[in-house]
């Protein structure tokens, strides 16, 4: 048998050896042109359908952005239907809102972990409301625990910052012992022929008041090494009676020549008598004041109504150093150095990285205090201090005399024109405001010695370029290292001093580079090991 289809596809002929059959096909209703266009459209659409299908598969139904998924999302909405998952979320929000206002039962047993919560759900067949209540109780408990841990951390940090590291205590003891047994450690500082230079205004005079021998050594060493003319430097180191022998030993045994160093104790200044500093004497002996700075820092503090940041600020303001005479000594510089015209006063937690001799050429425009302002700068956390940050403006005396938006300035590196200072009443103003704050039971301000100075020096401050003095290295861990390298003086103000274990590791090398680790006393006391 043979099958034959005509070229026009209008007939089919079936033939065999005996028979012949011819079938006529009905006329076609589709033209070649229509068929061709259909094939073209299919050829165009099929790849597109393939791509869309692949996108849906890869992206997933809930996270897709393709047209097909868009239709799947909007389709039920056009038809008035809502996805079950959306209804479930909406119902869960409703339950959470109800639970948020309910009281948590005192006897509610809370799982110790999320894994245990899931296990309890399975075993106890929690409904959604019970689950939400337990979840809320767990979260609130964890929040309380974290809050307690944060306050405990702040307390521990406060104690660490207020304590004397074992190595530094060892250094003071060993140097004091050396003072009694080694005549060279007791030699006169400076040598007799250099004594006239201590009051020579042709030299650059620096003053530092501290009982930290290691910190003083870093300040002096960094200043000498950074100076272009170290032979013009004279350092006046003032310390207390208990530290004097050790401080004298250090600088007697570790010369910084050609710079000159003088070491004096507060008891060696004839001017510092009880009659001249009655307010400070009262601060050190007053029971209420001593209890405030040395007493229980938690007692009376409502931790539930304060923030960790505010609590940390209060702790810092209660550092015992703020009632030390050494910390208030700078207000008496004109009397302590009656023959000097200009000095640069330095804190003991700074490092000098640039030649500071140009400071003596800065025109203070008849002002007493050349200082860096702290209300403007790149670092908003450090350079955002105004008077409102230091004073209680709800106190009538403060609100009457001060502007909360007035820019503050910093201690740490200050140029003092002593000749101009002697013509003012800065010291008397300082004393009068200290008395007022004592009388108000410390309600006018809390933080240290800067607030009364902000009042006493009002109208006597000349702002200097902020590149001379960079602050915040003792409480700002995110300090820009490039800015640190460029600063003339870097200041580790805050609790995280570089000689403490709580100091910031990435900022410590700027300080330790000036520690003489080859010194026998440093090695034997295992400083910062």
């Amino acid at each position: 048998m043979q099958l034959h289809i005509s070229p026009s596809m209008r007939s089919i002929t079936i033939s065999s050896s005996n028979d012949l059959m011819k079938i006529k096909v009905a006329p076609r209703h589709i033209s070649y042109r229509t068929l061709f266009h259909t094939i073209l459209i299919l050829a165009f659409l099929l790849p597109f359908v393939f791509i869309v299908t692949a996108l849906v598969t890869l992206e997933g139904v809930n996270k897709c952005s393709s047209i097909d998924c868009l239709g799947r999302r909007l389709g039920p909405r056009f038809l008035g239907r809502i996805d079950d998952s959306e209804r479930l979320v909406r119902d869960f929000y409703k339950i959470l809102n109800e639970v948020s206002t309910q009281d948590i039962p005192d006897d509610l047993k809370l799982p110790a972990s999320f894994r245990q919560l899931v296990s309890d759900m399975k075993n106890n067949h929690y409904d959604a409301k019970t689950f939400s209540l337990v979840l809320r109780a767990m979260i609130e408990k964890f929040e309380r625990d974290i809050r307690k841990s944060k306050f405990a951390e702040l307390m521990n940090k406060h104690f660490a910052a207020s304590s004397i590291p074992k190595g530094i205590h060892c250094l003071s003891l060993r140097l004091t012992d050396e003072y009694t047994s080694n005549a060279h450690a007791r030699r006169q500082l400076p040598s007799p022929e250099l004594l006239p230079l201590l009051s020579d205004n042709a030299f650059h005079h620096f003053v530092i008041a501290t009982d930290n021998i290691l910190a003083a050594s870093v300040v002096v060493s960094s200043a000498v090494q950074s100076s272009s003319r170290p032979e013009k430097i004279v350092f006046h180191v003032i310390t207390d009676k208990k530290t004097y022998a050790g401080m004298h030993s250090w600088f007697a045994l570790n010369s910084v020549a050609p710079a000159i160093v003088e070491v004096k104790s507060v008891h060696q200044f004839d001017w510092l008598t009880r009659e001249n500093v009655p307010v400070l004497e009262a601060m050190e002996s007053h029971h209420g004041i001593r209890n405030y700075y040395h007493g229980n820092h938690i007692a009376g503090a409502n931790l539930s109504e304060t923030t960790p940041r505010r609590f940390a600020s209060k702790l810092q303001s209660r550092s015992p150093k703020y009632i030390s005479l050494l910390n208030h000594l700078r207000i008496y510089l004109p009397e302590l150095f009656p023959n000097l015209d200009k000095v640069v006063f330095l804190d003991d937690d700074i490092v000098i990285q640039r030649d500071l001799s140009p400071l003596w050429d800065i025109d203070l425009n008849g002002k007493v205090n050349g200082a860096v302002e702290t209300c403007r700068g790149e670092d908003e956390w450090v350079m955002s201090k105004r008077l409102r940050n230091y004073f209680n403006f709800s106190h009538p005396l403060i609100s009457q005399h001060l502007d909360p938006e007035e820019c503050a300035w910093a201690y740490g590196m200050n140029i003092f024109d002593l000749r101009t200072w002697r013509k003012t009443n800065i010291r008397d103003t300082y004393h009068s405001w200290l008395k007022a704050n004592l009388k108000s039971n410390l309600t006018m301000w809390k933080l240290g010695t800067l607030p009364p100075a902000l009042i006493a020096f009002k109208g006597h401050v000349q702002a200097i370029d902020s590149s001379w003095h960079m602050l915040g290295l003792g409480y700002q861990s995110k300090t820009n290292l490039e800015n640190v390298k460029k600063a003339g003086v870097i200041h580790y103000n805050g609790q995280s001093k570089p000689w403490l274990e709580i100091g910031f590791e990435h900022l410590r090398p700027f300080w330790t580079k000036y520690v003489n680790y080859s010194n026998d006393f440093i090695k034997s006391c295992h400083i910062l090991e």
Side-chain angles (χ1 to χ4, degrees):
M1 184 179 66
Q2 293 181 344
L3 179 64
H4 177 70
I5 300 175
S6 65
S8 63
M9 299 184 67
R10 292 188 177 186
S11 64
I12 300 174
T13 302
I14 301 174
S15 62
S16 63
S17 56
N18 300 321
D19 299 307
L20 176 65
M21 180 183 297
K22 189 174 184 180
I23 301 174
K24 196 172 185 178
V25 181
R28 54 185 172 85
H29 299 282
I30 300 176
S31 67
Y32 288 121
R33 179 175 295 179
T34 301
L35 180 61
F36 176 73
H37 288 165
T38 302
I39 294 174
L40 278 180
I41 292 172
L42 288 175
F44 174 76
L45 288 178
L46 285 176
F48 178 74
V49 172
F50 173 78
I51 293 173
V52 171
T53 304
L55 285 174
V56 172
T57 304
L58 292 173
E59 295 175 359
V61 173
N62 293 327
K63 296 182 180 180
C64 65
S65 59
S66 58
I67 295 175
D68 182 62
C69 287
L70 185 63
R72 251 183 265 186
R73 288 178 179 178
L74 298 179
R77 295 183 184 275
F78 288 136
L79 296 176
R81 297 197 303 266
I82 299 177
D83 191 3
D84 289 341
S85 62
E86 293 185 11
R87 183 182 293 110
L88 179 62
V89 171
R90 185 185 61 188
D91 293 343
F92 191 57
Y93 284 156
K94 183 178 180 180
I95 293 172
L96 288 177
N97 286 329
E98 293 177 1
V99 169
S100 65
T101 59
Q102 291 184 1
D103 294 332
I104 299 176
D106 296 333
D107 58 348
L108 183 64
K109 293 183 179 180
L110 299 180
S113 64
F114 181 76
R115 186 187 297 273
Q116 185 179 345
L117 173 63
V118 174
S119 176
D120 290 350
M121 284 181 60
K122 293 180 179 178
N123 297 333
N124 300 326
H125 305 289
Y126 286 166
D127 57 19
K129 192 169 185 178
T130 304
F131 168 76
S132 300
L133 187 65
V134 173
L135 184 63
R136 174 195 162 197
M138 286 182 64
I139 292 175
E140 290 184 357
K141 178 180 181 299
F142 291 150
E143 287 177 345
R144 289 192 299 270
D145 292 344
I146 292 172
R147 187 178 178 84
K148 289 179 181 177
S149 299
K150 184 62 178 178
F151 283 118
E153 177 192 353
L154 292 172
M155 281 298 303
N156 292 334
K157 189 172 183 179
H158 172 70
F159 292 136
S162 303
S163 63
I164 301 174
K166 182 179 179 181
I168 291 180
H169 183 61
C170 164
L171 182 65
S172 180
L173 292 178
R174 287 182 62 85
L175 287 168
T176 300
D177 181 66
E178 192 72 13
Y179 183 85
T180 62
S181 60
N182 185 347
H184 188 61
R186 297 192 302 272
R187 70 182 178 87
Q188 185 175 352
L189 286 178
S191 56
E193 66 273 13
L194 297 177
L195 287 177
L197 302 182
L198 296 180
S199 56
D200 189 338
N201 285 296
F203 284 73
H204 298 154
H205 294 267
F206 295 91
V207 181
I208 176 174
T210 178
D211 60 356
N212 188 328
I213 299 173
L214 184 65
S217 72
V218 169
V219 174
V220 174
S221 296
S222 63
V224 173
Q225 293 182 38
S226 302
S227 176
S228 61
R229 300 182 65 188
E231 69 279 1
K232 299 289 291 184
I233 290 179
V234 177
F235 256 97
H236 305 269
V237 180
I238 307 174
T239 189
D240 56 17
K241 193 171 183 178
K242 66 179 175 58
T243 314
Y244 170 74
M247 188 76 74
H248 187 105
S249 293
W250 176 267
F251 288 105
L253 298 174
N254 299 276
S255 174
V256 290
I260 299 170
V261 177
E262 174 195 30
V263 178
K264 292 187 73 172
S265 170
V266 290
H267 72 279
Q268 294 174 326
F269 288 93
D270 296 333
W271 188 87
L272 288 175
T273 63
R274 292 187 177 184
E275 291 75 20
N276 290 327
V277 288
V279 178
L280 298 183
E281 182 70 22
M283 288 185 65
E284 289 192 322
S285 59
H286 191 281
H287 173 73
I289 303 302
R290 293 193 64 82
N291 184 63
Y292 175 80
Y293 286 101
H294 294 280
N296 187 343
H297 296 340
I298 292 291
N302 191 346
L303 300 184
S304 63
E305 295 183 1
T306 188
T307 63
R309 179 176 176 179
R310 190 175 302 169
F311 182 66
S313 177
K314 290 182 178 180
L315 285 178
Q316 187 176 349
S317 71
R318 297 178 72 166
S319 173
K321 72 176 184 178
Y322 292 130
I323 58 173
S324 165
L325 176 59
L326 286 175
N327 208 43
H328 292 265
L329 207 60
R330 69 197 88 196
I331 204 68
Y332 306 115
L333 290 177
E335 290 76 25
L336 299 182
F337 301 98
N339 298 318
L340 294 181
D341 294 338
K342 183 179 286 188
V343 300
V344 170
F345 191 93
L346 301 170
D347 281 0
D348 64 357
D349 53 354
I350 62 103
V351 172
I352 298 166
Q353 304 186 125
R354 192 195 307 168
D355 180 23
L356 297 187
S357 57
L359 292 179
W360 271 261
D361 299 325
I362 292 178
D363 185 2
L364 297 183
N365 295 312
K367 303 297 178 62
V368 172
N369 179 6
V372 167
E373 291 183 325
T374 56
C375 65
R376 57 182 65 89
E378 294 181 7
D379 195 329
E380 295 181 359
W381 171 249
V382 177
M383 304 298 284
S384 60
K385 304 294 189 298
R386 298 183 182 274
L387 296 195
R388 55 182 157 77
N389 299 106
Y390 297 96
F391 295 97
N392 174 20
F393 276 88
S394 64
H395 194 287
L397 278 178
I398 295 298
S399 60
Q400 289 171 16
H401 291 85
L402 301 178
D403 176 7
E405 296 306 314
E406 183 178 332
C407 190
W409 49 268
Y411 267 151
M413 188 210 73
N414 302 85
I415 313 165
F416 288 122
D417 185 336
L418 302 185
R419 186 166 50 183
T420 304
W421 190 342
R422 294 185 184 100
K423 302 174 185 177
T424 69
N425 62 343
I426 290 174
R427 174 168 57 91
D428 293 337
T429 304
Y430 188 88
H431 280 170
S432 65
W433 279 94
L434 277 179
K435 290 178 182 178
N437 194 35
L438 288 173
K439 189 176 180 180
S440 70
N441 197 27
L442 301 179
T443 58
M444 297 168 69
W445 68 80
K446 298 290 187 183
L447 184 60
T449 57
L450 182 58
L454 291 172
I455 301 175
F457 283 100
K458 185 177 176 61
H460 299 290
V461 178
Q462 173 65 41
I464 63 174
D465 192 281
S466 60
S467 65
W468 282 112
H469 183 190
M470 181 176 183
L471 297 113
L473 277 72
Y475 64 85
Q476 169 64 295
S477 61
K478 298 180 181 179
T479 301
N480 187 301
L481 293 182
E482 290 304 315
N483 291 340
V484 173
K485 295 174 184 177
K486 297 174 184 177
V489 171
I490 54 175
H491 194 173
Y492 292 85
N493 57 314
Q495 291 181 318
S496 301
K497 305 298 186 189
W499 55 81
L500 299 175
E501 290 186 6
I502 60 174
F504 300 122
E505 290 296 332
H506 65 294
L507 299 176
R508 198 193 307 274
F510 294 97
W511 186 85
T512 55
K513 66 184 292 188
Y514 295 104
V515 176
N516 183 9
Y517 287 103
S518 63
N519 182 275
D520 291 337
F521 293 101
I522 298 289
K523 288 192 292 186
S524 63
C525 289
H526 308 287
I527 300 292
L528 290 176
E529 286 188 359

